[in-house]
Amino acid sequence: MNNNKKTLRLLYGGKSAEHEVSMRTALSVINALNFTKFNVFPVYISKAGKWFTGPQINGKIKNINELIFTENGHDQSIIPAQFFASITDDEVVFPLLHGPNGEDGTVQGLLELLNVAYVGNGVAASAVGMDKVFMKQVFAQHGLTQPNYVYFMRQEWNEDQEQVCSKIETTLGYPCFVKPANLGSSVGISKCMSKDDLKQAMNLAYEYDRKVIVEEGIVGREIEIAVLGNDEPRCSIAGEIVPKTDFYDYNAKYEDDSTDLLIPAKVSETVYEQLTEMSIKAFQAIDGSGLVRADFFVTEQDDIYINEINTMPGFTPVSMYPLLWKQSGLEYSELIESLVDLAIERHVEQQKIKHTME
Ligand SMILES: Nc1ncnc2c1ncn2[C@@H]1O[C@H](COP(=O)(O)OP(=O)(O)O)[C@@H](O)[C@H]1O
Ligand SMILES: [Mg+2]
C-alpha cells in the first residue's frame, strides 16, 4: 500500500463547444497515469452543464463512452459545491476543460472558494486569458508586440454598422480577422478581405459573444512555446503550426489532418530567445500558474507578434503543448505529474496567505 498515493479528480466534458476535445483529453490523461501513484476519480460535466461522478478508475480505458455518466448510468448528478466541499487536503482536481465554463476562471473560482488544490491557472489568469480584449490590454501594458486591434460591443454594431465598418477599414484595413472575444478553437473566427466579408463575419462573431475583436492580419509563420511552472516558469523548445488551409480554423484543428506540427520549429537562436522572453513575460503578465501555451506570428523579417496565450491548451498526446515538452525531454505522464506537483505547490503557498488582520 502506497501511503503517498495522491487522489486525482479529473474534470472533463463541459458546457462548451470544446466538449468533445475535452473528452479526448480525459481519455489520454487517464491512459497515461501511473495508477500506483494516483487514485483516479472521474467527474463528467455534460453539455447541459450537469456534473456527474463515476466509480474510481483503476486502469486503462478504451472508449470515451466509458467516461460518460448520466442520470441513466452509474450515478446521479451532483451539486459541485457540495461534492468538492467534502474532498480532503491530499486531493487534487485537474480541470481538463477548454473554453468558456472551464478555462475562463469560472470552475477555478468554485475550486478556489472551496479551498481545493487544482491544476493550472487561477481565476484572474484564466479569465484574462479567455477574453482576447483583456488579454491584449494586459499584454500592451507589459510592452508585448501584438497585431493592432479594435473591438466593439454588440450594441455599437447594431446601432451603426457602417460606422463600425469604416472604423475598422481606416484603422486596420484588409485582411483582418474577426473574433468573438471569449472563445477558442477558432469558433466564430473569420478572415475578411472585403466589407461584405466583414459584415458577415461580424454578425457571425456576435452569435458567440457580445464583444467582438478585429485584428490586422499578420503574414507570418505560427510559432508556439509551452510554458510550465509557477514562480519560476520554464519554456519548451519552439514548435510551428503549418495549416494547409487559409488559416488555422476549427476544421484544421480538429476535423482533418490538414495541419502539420513542426517540432522543433526552424527559428534562429535570436528569435527563439525573444520568443521565450515574450512567453515568460506573457505568463507573468496574467500571473499564470501551472501551464500556458504562448502563440506567436513570426514574419519573414523575423518580426515577432504575440497572438495569444492559452491557459488550458490542447492536451492530448498529439497536441502541441505535450509534444513540445516531449521533445524537450518531458514525457506526457511526467508532464501530468509535474502539473499535479505544481498544483500542490501553489495550494500550499495559498494557505500561507493571511485572511484576517490579527
Ligand atoms: N491577426 C492575425 N493575423 C493572421 N492570422 C491570424 C490572426 N488572428 C488569428 N489568425 C489565424 O486564426 C487562427 C485562430 O485565431 P486565434 O486568435 O488563435 O483563435 P483561438 O483562440 O480560437 O485559437 C490563428 O491560429 C491564425 O491561423
Ligand atoms: Mg489560437
Side-chain angles (χ1 to χ4, degrees), residues 180-236:
N182 287 280
L183 220 62
S185 295
S186 300
V187 176
I189 295 185
S190 316
K191 179 180 180 177
C192 304
M193 305 301 289
S194 68
K195 195 168 171 183
D196 282 345
D197 285 355
L198 184 58
K199 284 193 165 169
Q200 245 183 16
M202 294 293 281
N203 285 323
L204 174 73
Y206 282 117
E207 286 178 27
Y208 294 99
D209 202 337
R210 48 188 275 281
K211 183 158 66 175
V212 166
I213 182 167
V214 189
E215 296 171 22
E216 66 172 319
I218 302 290
V219 181
R221 292 185 293 152
E222 295 192 54
I223 309 284
E224 307 189 338
I225 301 272
V227 184
L228 177 69
N230 288 335
D231 290 330
E232 287 167 350
R234 56 198 181 104
C235 290
S236 70

Side-chain angles (χ1 to χ4, degrees), residues 64-219:
I64 281 169
N65 292 331
E66 293 173 54
L67 295 175
I68 298 176
F69 310 106
T70 61
E71 269 111 338
N72 307 322
H74 306 247
D75 274 335
Q76 296 294 317
S77 81
I78 53 163
I79 300 165
Q82 218 167 53
F83 174 73
F84 284 107
S86 65
I87 82 174
T88 56
D89 264 357
D90 55 352
E91 303 191 20
V92 177
V93 174
F94 195 159
L96 299 167
L97 302 165
H98 306 287
N101 303 311
E103 191 182 345
D104 60 351
T106 49
V107 166
Q108 290 74 12
L110 172 72
L111 298 170
E112 204 70 58
L113 201 56
L114 299 167
N115 203 26
V116 173
Y118 61 94
V119 171
N121 289 279
V123 178
S126 302
V128 171
M130 191 77 248
D131 186 306
K132 292 188 192 301
V133 175
F134 290 151
M135 177 169 63
K136 282 178 196 296
Q137 289 169 335
V138 170
F139 285 171
Q141 278 287 322
H142 286 77
L144 288 157
T145 310
Q146 55 190 342
N148 289 317
Y149 69 94
V150 285
Y151 71 96
F152 304 93
M153 305 309 291
R154 190 191 280 126
Q155 196 184 350
E156 286 176 272
W157 175 247
N158 287 341
E159 269 168 16
D160 199 341
Q161 299 194 358
E162 285 309 314
Q163 200 190 327
V164 168
C165 284
S166 84
K167 218 169 172 179
I168 293 167
E169 286 178 336
T170 52
T171 51
L172 307 175
Y174 301 105
C176 62
F177 281 81
V178 173
K179 313 175 180 180
N182 287 280
L183 220 62
S185 295
S186 300
V187 176
I189 295 185
S190 316
K191 179 180 180 177
C192 304
M193 305 301 289
S194 68
K195 195 168 171 183
D196 282 345
D197 285 355
L198 184 58
K199 284 193 165 169
Q200 245 183 16
M202 294 293 281
N203 285 323
L204 174 73
Y206 282 117
E207 286 178 27
Y208 294 99
D209 202 337
R210 48 188 275 281
K211 183 158 66 175
V212 166
I213 182 167
V214 189
E215 296 171 22
E216 66 172 319
I218 302 290
V219 181

Side-chain angles (χ1 to χ4, degrees), residues 48-63:
K50 283 193 161 192
W51 297 43
F52 301 90
T53 55
Q56 181 170 358
I57 298 171
N58 294 306
K60 289 194 194 300
I61 280 190
K62 286 201 186 72
N63 198 301

Side-chain angles (χ1 to χ4, degrees), residues 253 295 307-308:
K253 283 181 182 174
D295 299 353
N307 172 32
E308 62 165 341

Side-chain angles (χ1 to χ4, degrees), residues 297-327:
F297 300 116
V298 178
T299 69
E300 193 105 348
Q301 295 76 36
D302 279 351
D303 291 326
I304 304 173
Y305 298 83
I306 190 160
N307 172 32
E308 62 165 341
I309 46 175
N310 290 281
T311 54
M312 184 51 208
F315 203 80
T316 70
V318 295
S319 306
M320 184 61 109
Y321 186 91
L323 283 178
L324 285 173
W325 280 117
K326 185 174 178 173
Q327 302 225 19

